[in-house]
Amino acid sequence: MASNQEEVTLLGVTRSPFVCRVHIALKLKGVEYKYVEESLFNKSDLLLKYNPVHKKVPVFVHNGKPIAESLLIVEYIDQTWTHNPILSSDPYQRALARFWSKFIDDKVVGVTSKAVFTVDEKEREKNTEEVLEALQFLENEIKDNKFFGGEEIGLVDIAAVFIPFWIPMLQEVAGLELLTSHKFPKLYKWSQELINHLVVKESLPPRDHVFAFIKRRYESLFISK
Amino acid sequence: MASNQEEVTLLGVTRSPFVCRVHIALKLKGVEYKYVEESLFNKSDLLLKYNPVHKKVPVFVHNGKPIAESLLIVEYIDQTWTHNPILSSDPYQRALARFWSKFIDDKVVGVTSKAVFTVDEKEREKNTEEVLEALQFLENEIKDNKFFGGEEIGLVDIAAVFIPFWIPMLQEVAGLELLTSHKFPKLYKWSQELINHLVVKESLPPRDHVFAFIKRRYESLFISK
């Protein structure tokens, strides 16, 4: 359990969907924390000290103890500040939430980037197909629930924040059709609910900032060297 | 909590290190279960029904409810049968155990297979380097502890069963040097402790069976088509 004298720090980069997950979890719990912006092109000593294995953000530091990997951080936050639960107390529901969160990492987030940031048309097509197949699984899974977590947002919704906020920008930049109300009506409806959730809204990075980064990265693919 | 009237089934293939993890967890807890051997070349209706997303083993079925992904299954088993704990009750220790288990999946298991099952020498070298780097992290992490879990085996030891049992066969077949007492004295010592642990011993597949499979797969790389 958390005491009153907490030192809570999050190392992140603003544009990262993984960092955004941690912001959401902390704000859901009402935990006060210090946010430190990192540069992935010039990694700080703090980042290298706290995540010597992967040297990636987010890193969460609680009273001097570091944790890496966004989903593990969210689970830790949920276990440490136990009000407004993010995970169910039922072991089976927990297993399912972890399954779909991992699914989103393995089949949606990375694959979407591969579909967007490539000059190889075959590679793009293959990965686009794979993302659409994954989104179809999520469309079937959300059913008519407000959130994956039910009436309140849970681990899967937090893991999936990439879908309503990042995917629309990525598909716009690359001219792809991934998340549309036509293809995935239920998932699209969920995506609007999520992005308008008060806590999620205040946890998202500025759209212009992220869009500019994505656009620059995409355009740099087509600059001959 | 578990009741007395349990239906516990594990779908697996004998040679899989991921399936072995579930055997270890169930035997640690003393849970009786039915084991069903699957064929990955001719997947059963049961497997397709219970794991429609990935269509992979292991699948664990508890009173009709399926769970996929070996690490999630082990956590579920630990939460359902709470004696002989596999994970600490401390949130920070849990986060660390999950971190290293995921590290083993991401940086050891898959990468070792890539180092072994390739005809491309550069690919082999690159992946061998990566495995050695990962094993060095584990060497530093085990320190002088008997197990990653301390005096008793825990989640990381279970996740890492690939290292003492599968890696020696893989390196023998491919003529690589990965886990040696010279390179990684502490990890090697741990590997001997783990493989001689009574519960682990009775959970391992027959060595000859696994070795023959690895050899066949390796040799098939060099058969021209």
Side-chain angles (χ1 to χ4, degrees):
Chain A
M1 284 296 297
S3 78
N4 290 327
Q5 297 258 317
E6 303 283 358
E7 261 194 80
V8 182
T9 306
L10 170 61
L11 312 185
V13 297
T14 297
R15 65 174 183 277
S16 159
F18 303 104
V19 173
C20 182
R21 291 172 174 174
V22 184
H23 283 299
I24 296 173
L26 287 167
K27 287 185 201 299
L28 270 178
K29 300 287 186 175
V31 175
E32 292 202 12
Y33 61 104
K34 186 177 151 196
Y35 174 70
V36 179
E37 181 77 10
E38 285 288 332
S39 163
L40 295 184
F41 304 104
N42 182 16
K43 294 177 182 179
S44 75
D45 292 344
L46 210 61
L47 176 60
L48 300 178
K49 173 185 162 193
Y50 281 138
N51 190 3
V53 177
H54 301 303
K55 305 175 184 73
K56 283 181 185 169
V57 292
V59 174
F60 182 71
V61 191
H62 185 202
N63 296 333
K65 291 188 287 186
I67 306 173
E69 303 272 0
S70 62
L71 294 176
L72 304 186
I73 297 170
V74 172
E75 283 218 36
Y76 173 83
I77 290 169
D78 193 41
Q79 286 201 300
T80 303
W81 293 275
T82 50
H83 58 284
N84 300 347
I86 290 170
L87 274 150
S88 160
S89 59
D90 174 68
Y92 188 67
Q93 292 305 321
R94 294 171 84 88
L96 288 186
R98 288 177 183 137
F99 176 84
W100 287 111
S101 305
K102 186 171 187 299
F103 176 84
I104 287 160
D105 272 359
D106 293 347
K107 302 291 181 185
V108 180
V109 184
V111 187
T112 302
S113 286
K114 280 191 197 163
V116 168
F117 298 114
T118 181
V119 287
D120 180 335
E121 269 309 314
K122 272 201 180 152
E123 190 66 14
R124 171 159 300 162
E125 265 175 43
K126 184 184 144 281
N127 287 306
T128 301
E129 271 312 302
E130 215 178 300
V131 176
L132 292 172
E133 201 186 309
L135 294 179
Q136 186 62 54
F137 273 114
L138 294 172
E139 170 84 4
N140 300 344
E141 188 59 23
I142 185 74
K143 300 186 185 85
D144 291 311
N145 296 318
K146 188 169 175 188
F147 295 117
F148 286 97
E151 275 306 298
E152 303 295 336
I153 68 177
L155 184 69
V156 182
D157 301 285
I158 295 174
V161 68
F162 176 79
I163 298 173
F165 190 71
W166 276 262
I167 283 190
M169 287 188 263
L170 288 161
Q171 66 185 8
E172 183 182 333
V173 163
L176 297 175
E177 277 204 0
L178 300 170
L179 177 69
T180 63
S181 59
H182 174 70
K183 273 198 179 92
F184 304 113
K186 290 175 182 179
L187 197 65
Y188 187 83
K189 187 163 168 281
W190 159 85
S191 78
Q192 297 309 302
E193 288 281 2
L194 190 69
I195 217 161
N196 286 304
H197 186 287
L198 281 183
V199 169
V200 174
K201 239 177 169 166
E202 61 168 338
S203 305
L204 293 170
R207 193 185 183 281
D208 291 356
H209 172 85
V210 181
F211 191 82
F213 176 83
I214 292 172
K215 199 152 178 270
R216 226 166 30 238
R217 185 170 163 203
Y218 183 75
E219 285 170 353
S220 74
L221 291 174
F222 301 96
I223 297 168
S224 57
K225 285 184 182 145
Chain B
M1 285 298 296
S3 77
N4 290 326
Q5 297 259 315
E6 303 283 358
E7 261 194 80
V8 182
T9 306
L10 170 60
L11 312 186
V13 297
T14 297
R15 66 175 181 277
S16 160
F18 303 103
V19 172
C20 183
R21 291 171 174 175
V22 184
H23 283 299
I24 296 173
L26 287 167
K27 288 187 203 299
L28 270 178
K29 299 287 185 174
V31 175
E32 292 204 8
Y33 61 102
K34 187 177 151 194
Y35 174 70
V36 180
E37 181 77 10
E38 286 288 332
S39 163
L40 295 184
F41 304 105
N42 182 16
K43 294 177 182 179
S44 75
D45 292 345
L46 210 62
L47 177 60
L48 300 178
K49 174 184 161 194
Y50 281 137
N51 189 2
V53 176
H54 300 303
K55 306 176 183 72
K56 283 182 186 167
V57 292
V59 174
F60 182 71
V61 191
H62 185 202
N63 297 331
K65 290 188 286 188
I67 306 174
E69 304 272 0
S70 62
L71 295 175
L72 304 186
I73 297 170
V74 172
E75 282 219 35
Y76 173 83
I77 289 170
D78 193 42
Q79 286 201 301
T80 304
W81 294 275
T82 51
H83 57 286
N84 301 346
I86 291 170
L87 274 150
S88 159
S89 59
D90 173 68
Y92 188 67
Q93 292 305 322
R94 294 171 83 90
L96 288 186
R98 288 177 184 137
F99 176 84
W100 288 110
S101 306
K102 187 173 186 298
F103 176 84
I104 288 160
D105 272 358
D106 293 348
K107 303 289 180 187
V108 180
V109 184
V111 187
T112 302
S113 287
K114 279 191 199 163
V116 169
F117 297 114
T118 181
V119 287
D120 180 334
E121 270 308 315
K122 273 202 178 152
E123 189 68 14
R124 170 160 301 162
E125 266 175 43
K126 184 184 144 283
N127 288 306
T128 301
E129 272 311 301
E130 215 179 301
V131 176
L132 292 172
E133 199 185 311
L135 295 179
Q136 186 62 55
F137 274 113
L138 294 172
E139 170 83 4
N140 300 345
E141 188 58 22
I142 186 74
K143 301 184 185 87
D144 291 311
N145 297 318
K146 188 169 176 190
F147 296 117
F148 286 97
E151 275 305 297
E152 303 295 335
I153 68 177
L155 183 69
V156 181
D157 301 286
I158 295 174
V161 68
F162 177 79
I163 298 173
F165 190 71
W166 276 263
I167 283 190
M169 287 189 263
L170 288 161
Q171 67 185 8
E172 182 181 337
V173 164
L176 297 174
E177 277 203 0
L178 300 170
L179 177 70
T180 63
S181 59
H182 175 70
K183 274 200 178 91
F184 304 112
K186 291 175 182 181
L187 198 64
Y188 188 82
K189 188 163 168 279
W190 158 86
S191 79
Q192 298 308 303
E193 288 281 4
L194 190 69
I195 217 161
N196 286 305
H197 185 287
L198 281 183
V199 169
V200 174
K201 237 177 171 169
E202 62 169 337
S203 305
L204 293 170
R207 194 186 182 280
D208 291 355
H209 172 84
V210 180
F211 191 82
F213 176 83
I214 292 173
K215 199 151 178 271
R216 226 165 32 238
R217 187 171 161 203
Y218 184 75
E219 286 170 351
S220 74
L221 290 173
F222 302 95
I223 297 168
S224 56
K225 283 180 185 151

